[in-house]
Amino acid sequence: MSPVCFAPDSGGGGGASTPAPWGETKVVGARLPRVDAYERVSGSAVYTLDLQLPGMLHAAIVRCPHAHARVKRIDTAKAETMPGVRGVLTGESPGAAIPWYQGREGPLSLLFDPHCRHEGEEVAAVAADTALQAHDAARAVVVEYEELPFVVDPDKALAPDAPKVHDWGNLLGQPRVTTRGDVAAGFAAADAVVEMTFRTPVQMHTPMEVHVSVAQWDGDRLTVWDSTQGVYAIREALAGALKLPLASVRVVGHYMGGGFGSKLELGKYTVIAALLARRLGRPVKAALTREETFLVAGNRPSNVITLKAGAKRDGALTALEARLSGPVGAYPTSAVSAYQIGDLYTCPNVKFETTNILIHAGKARPFRAPGFPSCNWALEQVVDTLAEKLGLDPVELRLKNIPTVSQLNDNAPYTSTGLARCLTEGAVAFGWTEARRRPKTAGHLRRGVGVAAGMWGYGGDPNATAIVTLYADGSVNLNTGASDLGTGTKTVLAMVVAEELGVAPDRIQVEHADTATTKFAPSSGGSQTVLVNSPAVRAAAIEVKRQVLEIAARQLDKPVGDLAVADGAVVVAGAGGKRVPFSELKGLGERRMLVGVGMRHPHPEGKLALPFAAQFAEVEVDTRSGAVRVLRVLAAQDSGRVMNRLTFNNQVFGGVVQGLGFALTEERVLDRATGKMVNANWHDYKVPTMLDSPAEAECLPIDPHDTECNTVGAKGLGEPAHIPAATAIANAIHDAVGVRPLEAPVTPARLVALLAAQERKG
Ligand code: MOS
């Protein structure tokens, strides 16, 4: 897992005083439309891709068209004379020899490395007056390549004669084995044992907004507008790459159109924009084309997972043993996660081995719960099969194995575990028992239902600082470093201020994600955004409230204890108590503003705060065509407190539909003959549309009223909403037609083949 976003939660330290947990809330939890909804839907919101600065140039990048090649010669003469062209950048240009991709013993590559290890690697760049001129000129750069042998199939990459991605070969590190208990003894004690091998696809992030940066220099100071999930992380990496002090680099990330993990790390295009802008003395925008994002902006690696599981007659798991492997692409990262095998269920005997493989393809990046949906695809189908073998209801078997402690973390207790409630209450809301009893056969259209559970394994970086300012007219500014990926972060954080300070959300302006004007917030990833930033925002609002009440107490000559805030005013306790609007507080008028700075408190000592989920799906399989329609889904989510019911639902439905893509349609295809991606576009790479989405989707929040996880009671949502979604569909397919879809996506061709094999077997 990426260290930035997914380091295992190690608990907290330190000790700022923490406010009491919320009980009932007035604003928080409501269905409030996004505070910037109008800007977003009307097109007036300026995304990085929309940004136009005076004199701005456009960059286009020359990319290696081969899976593996060495650049012999670059001729930029023709490109440099083309209309509108202002400059060309290659690895030879001053300041361009920037190391890229860290290995164990130093950098493995360069910004423009003559040794290209995958299709799409950066070779040169051009800046021109318009984007079209830049792309024309990039095409006119003549590059002579020596093509080299390549390997893009992870099944073949570890063969002794496979072409090597790096000198040491194609195994990244050594396979890692994790063990607890004694799996052999566990299987010996089991009444049923199941072993299966699963394959999952390479899934692409496909955010609506492509990856894009705009760079502008003012002397030695650099400002970059970036479509990013974390302005602070990008600033750190950018300052490092350009050898600038942190204070000289400003990164701004306002409206942004999705990332799903692909916008956590610094992109080469950002540095290219900065280098061209410095050389040419003009702002430069570098935007990837959609096709380029498929090649160089990350992916969820495919996994091969062999999983063996044993259980007692009553469903209690006795042993889990697994081997997981996957391709990281051409540079180091992590391709697999066995976390759920170790922790989703109570199981005394567990062993798993993880292997990361290098191939000549674009590097993987974190993608919505890195490794988790792939692992879930194996674990939750095996658990389903065990239930079938033992004649148990799949919900019942899962309920037999609910954990209250994290076995992977020295049995540290969870602050709350809503998993059992997700399963039981989800089953009732879905009509699980009734649906399972319905007869299956209806001609060639067969219906089935499935369930899958899941959990997420990261509790958040507890460092975040927020500032709340109350102005003399009663309006409020909320200042936070958090990026809003489109999920509604600004809205939820404004609601926290509204709750605590008694002002309407529409009186609150949110200023965010700008390293020059906001304080630190960790990247919006790892499902941490709300649970890390909300407590800091709440603390800042509480501090402003304290000052307001002090001022009011003096003005009204009342003890602070008799005063409260509500509806933009200070209210005196008691029937018919006096009400003084903030704008009429003299002390506030004199000071012009009251400022509260709030910091995030540490995580609870020795405990883990993690979210859980159980999702239910009903599908209809056309046994003639192999087409699967997902008819309805119910997602029961224990993510703690619901901060905004509307954005909560949005996150959940998005996670479900992205899981539907994983289960049924999405798959990167690399051509074995050329090593090139053949579906690097939105026509051939099939992302589900509204027509593919379930007609009925229901979200059932399970709130365990967790008063320990943090001061707002919310756990993460973005990732857990996605983790079990694909597997619930797989289990429903099995229920409908009796075949096990081991390989995702379950395309019509694959399903027809499975059905034909089943028929042959009789
Ligand atoms: Mo995510 S993969 O933490 O954006």
Side-chain angles (χ1 to χ4, degrees), residues 407-427:
Q407 299 153 94
L408 287 176
N409 292 286
D410 300 326
N411 290 330
Y414 294 119
T415 54
S416 58
T417 317
L419 181 56
R421 284 185 57 199
C422 287
L423 284 160
T424 50
E425 293 172 39

Side-chain angles (χ1 to χ4, degrees), residues 5-6 229 260-261 264 366-370 525-526 719:
C5 197
F6 304 103
Q229 294 177 232
F260 307 115
L264 290 165
F367 184 166
R368 205 166 188 170
E719 282 155 317

Side-chain angles (χ1 to χ4, degrees), residues 130-178:
T130 71
L132 291 176
Q133 287 172 331
H135 282 282
D136 278 349
R139 263 194 294 275
V141 171
V142 181
V143 185
E144 199 183 298
Y145 294 97
E146 176 194 350
E147 286 187 57
L148 299 169
F150 60 84
V151 59
V152 292
D153 182 348
D155 293 346
K156 301 201 172 121
L158 296 183
D161 58 344
K164 288 179 180 170
V165 180
H166 294 282
D167 296 342
W168 70 81
N170 298 336
L171 189 59
L172 180 62
Q174 284 305 308
R176 262 183 59 179
V177 179
T178 304

